[in-house]
Amino acid sequence: MGFPGAFALTLFVALSYPAHGFLQSNPFFNIDGAPQTELFFEEDVTEGTTPPAVVIERVVSFPVKNGHDLIELRNIGGQTANLVGWTLKDQAGNSQPLIFGEGDCEDVDSLAPTRSIVIKPKSESNPCGLDFGLSFRDEIFLEDDMGEIIASVAWDQSEQGTSIQRAHTGEYFIKQDELNVLGLLESLGNYTILLSVLEATGLNETLSAVSDPKYEGPKFPEPPPEIIDPQFPSWFGFQFNRSLLPPPPPPPPPPPPPKEGLPKRGPFTIFAPNDAAFQILLAGLAGPGNPPLPLDIFLTLPELEDILLYHMVPGAWSTDFLLNNTAIPTAKIAEIVPFADGAMTEGKIMIHDSCVDKPTPDPYECVQQIEFDKCNDPFMVSPLGAQWQGGYCQRTCQRCSCDLSSGVPCAEVLEADLRASNGIVHTLSRVMFPPPIFVKEIESFSPDDEAAGFGFEEETVTKDMLELKGPIGTVAPNSG
């Protein structure tokens, strides 16, 4: 698969999640009526080489009490799907089909790679919705503007409180929607090793907890305040010398770091390796040429709890919050980094488990290395110099990648947004490992050592070091 090229567009997405209606990228579906959340973000969408592939990912035809029929579509291709003129209809053919890009659905005209659309019944507050009801025995079709069937799904019998879910193989299965995350894993049948590990570590009891009724949705960290430097014209003769101004007030202290472990109440998001993923791990732990590590020995490993906590995120993180190249702290504190860029993953949602910052041993933070234009300097990217495979400031400098053609062993989300009463499950293709958490340590040196690189000997930071105009080893920022 070649690396795609050049086309990119920017989406400004304002998401609001009412109780009814058409939802573009529905982020938090909760059966027991927990509060919804709102999100506004700017996301760059780049195009891959594989054509768009819109599938019917989920159908609810017999909802729980006070619930609604719904159909969820997802684009698993590498390019944005143009939905103008596409129709969604049921087998009866006696109702008005939903037509994308026209009439009440004029604004619903495209679907970016990895993104989903949730469609609910039409109403006064939701004019772009289903004008037909779903039966416990039914069939629905998605057709393009030429009348060609793009996707379809049929079911003979559905029970109340279930949904029809698409597997990554393209087949469909019945999912129980009212189970908690632990019960959901048990019901699906292909997570037996994960369930054994949860029991061995005692984490299964925590995952049985109900959701906190005050939960308001995932929270992203606030961006740092922007520093404004007024740009006066060159002929302005009375510009004040800003070096004489009093320094700005210090920024507020950062919020306390999250505590390791799971909260006592949900919701919980589980990145769940299936049995096949654990079998690959057991073979790898045994070493080349040896039979897989026996499960009974594996279950005694002291590292298991740390590994499991890295697969769990407090809160309900649907794929709509797995924003491209945006780190998410896990219950192990260490972060996972999703990648959903069409040009990189071709419609797949990938999870990077070693995309972290190792700080440089100078007085400067990683964000300053960006300002100094140092992110791709040989010193910064050298695994040998940093004693870390990603070099210095890999995360902040955005040097991580899940490009399918690069061989980077990211984990793939095989089945996304498997909703439970107290959280969400995402099926993973492999077991992830929590990376180290690096702490900023400023090594000190004498002025004569600066030209030689990092030959630090003194035990305190010198005045000369703090007066440097750029990162150590570079003396000053690039001029352009």
Side-chain angles (χ1 to χ4, degrees):
M1 183 180 297
F3 192 81
F7 177 70
L9 57 97
T10 299
L11 294 183
F12 292 87
V13 184
L15 305 183
S16 179
Y17 308 108
H20 306 276
F22 179 93
L23 305 184
Q24 168 71 43
S25 302
N26 173 26
F28 179 44
F29 174 80
N30 191 307
I31 292 172
D32 56 13
Q36 305 299 298
T37 188
E38 294 187 358
L39 170 67
F40 181 83
F41 61 88
E42 177 183 333
E43 186 176 20
D44 289 331
V45 178
T46 57
E47 301 291 295
T49 58
T50 55
V54 181
V55 299
I56 300 171
E57 183 171 82
R58 180 171 60 114
V59 178
V60 176
S61 63
F62 198 167
V64 296
K65 185 179 179 180
N66 298 324
H68 302 276
D69 294 349
L70 66 82
I71 300 171
E72 182 171 8
L73 309 178
R74 187 179 296 274
N75 182 6
I76 61 173
Q79 298 177 351
T80 298
N82 179 2
L83 302 182
V84 175
W86 288 29
T87 60
L88 190 63
K89 56 187 178 182
D90 67 351
Q91 66 176 355
N94 54 9
S95 301
Q96 181 69 29
L98 185 147
I99 305 177
F100 295 100
E102 298 181 8
D104 293 331
C105 298
E106 181 179 4
D107 295 333
V108 187
D109 57 3
S110 63
L111 188 57
T114 76
R115 298 294 91 183
S116 68
I117 293 173
V118 175
I119 308 162
K120 291 187 177 182
K122 187 173 185 177
S123 66
E124 183 177 347
S125 60
N126 176 54
C128 182
L130 299 176
D131 200 23
F132 54 88
L134 299 178
S135 170
F136 66 91
R137 182 184 297 112
D138 210 335
E139 185 173 11
I140 54 175
F141 303 89
L142 177 66
E143 297 180 355
D144 65 13
D145 57 339
M146 302 298 292
E148 296 289 334
I149 296 177
I150 300 298
S152 66
V153 58
W155 57 97
D156 293 329
Q157 185 73 33
S158 63
E159 298 179 358
Q160 188 172 23
T162 65
S163 59
I164 300 148
Q165 190 86 31
R166 184 183 185 274
H168 71 282
T169 59
E171 300 174 334
Y172 286 87
F173 61 93
I174 301 297
K175 183 179 74 68
Q176 301 288 330
D177 287 337
E178 295 184 282
L179 299 174
N180 61 30
V181 290
L182 192 65
L184 176 60
L185 293 171
E186 292 172 347
S187 70
L188 294 176
N190 56 340
Y191 301 92
T192 56
I193 299 179
L194 174 59
L195 290 166
S196 297
V197 178
L198 287 169
E199 184 176 2
T201 57
L203 291 171
N204 57 332
E205 297 181 5
T206 303
L207 296 179
S208 299
V210 299
S211 292
D212 184 349
K214 297 181 180 179
Y215 177 70
E216 296 181 347
K219 302 292 185 184
F220 287 100
E222 293 291 332
E226 182 179 0
I227 299 176
I228 300 176
D229 185 14
Q231 301 297 307
F232 292 105
S234 59
W235 60 86
F236 179 44
F238 296 90
Q239 181 176 352
F240 196 80
N241 183 355
R242 279 176 165 69
S243 65
L244 302 178
L245 292 173
K259 296 181 180 180
E260 182 176 315
L262 290 171
K264 294 182 179 180
R265 305 187 75 174
F268 311 103
T269 298
I270 313 298
F271 291 87
N274 57 21
D275 286 341
F278 272 103
Q279 292 294 349
I280 295 173
L281 173 64
L282 294 176
L285 291 176
N290 297 318
L293 187 71
L295 182 59
D296 57 342
I297 296 178
F298 176 68
L299 293 177
T300 65
L301 297 180
E303 295 87 356
L304 285 187
E305 183 170 347
D306 289 337
I307 293 173
L308 276 189
L309 288 175
Y310 188 60
H311 290 76
M312 303 177 184
V313 179
W317 292 77
S318 72
T319 53
D320 303 279
F321 288 96
L322 305 186
L323 303 183
N324 185 63
N325 201 10
T326 301
I328 299 172
T330 67
K332 186 57 189 169
I333 307 303
E335 297 171 334
I336 57 173
V337 182
F339 284 89
D341 182 273
M344 181 186 295
T345 68
E346 297 290 348
K348 300 178 185 295
I349 300 173
M350 310 294 288
I351 308 294
H352 204 305
D353 60 348
S354 59
C355 182
V356 297
D357 279 338
K358 182 169 186 181
T360 54
D362 58 17
Y364 301 95
E365 301 294 336
C366 287
V367 291
Q368 293 175 287
Q369 305 294 350
I370 296 178
E371 296 172 3
F372 300 147
D373 196 21
K374 299 299 177 184
C375 279
N376 294 307
D377 281 8
F379 154 71
M380 293 287 290
V381 302
S382 169
L384 182 62
Q387 294 295 294
W388 170 246
Q389 60 188 15
Y392 290 114
C393 299
Q394 177 191 22
R395 169 80 195 95
T396 298
C397 287
Q398 297 192 0
R399 295 197 306 267
C400 303
S401 173
C402 284
D403 180 8
L404 298 178
S405 64
S406 69
V408 177
C410 295
E412 180 183 348
V413 176
L414 299 177
E415 276 115 34
D417 296 339
L418 302 178
R419 292 164 172 82
S421 64
N422 66 341
I424 296 175
V425 172
H426 304 292
T427 304
L428 285 192
S429 64
R430 75 166 178 87
V431 179
M432 303 186 294
F433 293 93
I437 299 175
F438 296 107
V439 178
K440 178 75 171 178
E441 295 180 358
I442 302 177
E443 300 187 37
S444 58
F445 67 106
S446 68
D448 295 335
D449 289 330
E450 194 270 322
F454 292 103
F456 306 137
E457 295 179 356
E458 297 184 14
E459 295 184 3
T460 59
V461 179
T462 66
K463 181 175 182 293
D464 302 276
M465 178 179 179
L466 296 176
E467 290 179 350
L468 286 174
K469 301 301 183 182
I472 296 171
T474 60
V475 182
N478 290 341
S479 59

